[in-house]
Amino acid sequence: MKNFNLQFFAGNRSALIRNKIADYLEVDGKMELCGIGFTKLNESPGAQSDSTTYINEATSSSDIIGYDTQFPYGFDAIPSQKALYALWKDGRNHHIGDDAKHVYVRVELFNPIGMPSKEKAEFTARQFVVCNEVNDFTGEGGQKISASGTLKAVGDPVMGKFDTVSMVFTEGDFKGKYDVEDDEPVLPDNE
């Protein structure tokens, strides 16, 4: 029989804060942080389901059959910020097809792989190809110009890790601090 330390569940109640998820957009072959200027960059997995009621049942059975993942965003227009300016230009220049697609990486800074250092800081991450749907450019007289839109996933995400020092994504099945296997004991957080 396994011995679990239940203090981990009762004592560690810290919720994630938004700055513990980092977003990067590839611009001219380099990963650029989606940070300064962005007022929101959310994730909506958009699970798609299918329900069937069989002839011998009164209640339907459901299955998840796919996802329609979207990342709604909003930002203040700051041209010096390369990631947001790339998204801005998609709408301004009416980019379509491949011209409106980007490589986008969502990094879980709360879930390190090993101990981060000045030489290497790896975290669990997912890489997406997204198409950029720009919805609005707005701004009243004397106010900031803002933009809003949605990054829409093209196909499935690629699971992996991202090194925030080298700014490189690596595809693979990597385990972070909170990726506990079913047969591993849960230990208290000693931070």
Side-chain angles (χ1 to χ4, degrees), residues 16 23 39 59 64 66 72 107 139 170:
L16 284 178
D23 303 272
T39 55
T59 304
I64 301 300
V107 182
T170 304

Side-chain angles (χ1 to χ4, degrees), residues 39-130:
T39 55
K40 75 172 187 174
L41 183 46
N42 299 324
E43 180 174 357
S44 299
Q48 307 292 303
S49 63
D50 178 51
S51 296
T52 304
T53 303
Y54 296 106
I55 62 171
N56 65 325
E57 297 177 331
T59 304
S60 65
S61 298
S62 297
D63 286 309
I64 301 300
I65 58 171
Y67 289 86
D68 182 16
T69 303
Q70 300 182 21
F71 303 92
Y73 64 80
F75 59 74
D76 293 331
I78 302 174
S80 64
Q81 298 299 310
K82 293 180 181 180
L84 68 77
Y85 194 59
L87 299 177
W88 169 277
K89 289 193 305 185
D90 286 340
R92 181 194 71 187
N93 297 347
H94 291 200
H95 289 162
I96 62 172
D98 286 345
D99 291 336
K101 289 182 182 170
H102 300 275
V103 173
Y104 167 67
V105 178
R106 196 152 173 103
V107 182
E108 299 171 336
L109 298 176
F110 65 91
N111 204 15
I113 299 168
M115 183 61 74
S117 69
K118 290 180 180 179
E119 293 79 32
K120 179 172 75 170
E122 297 176 327
F123 303 89
T124 57
R126 294 167 295 147
Q127 179 176 275
F128 297 83
V129 172
V130 293

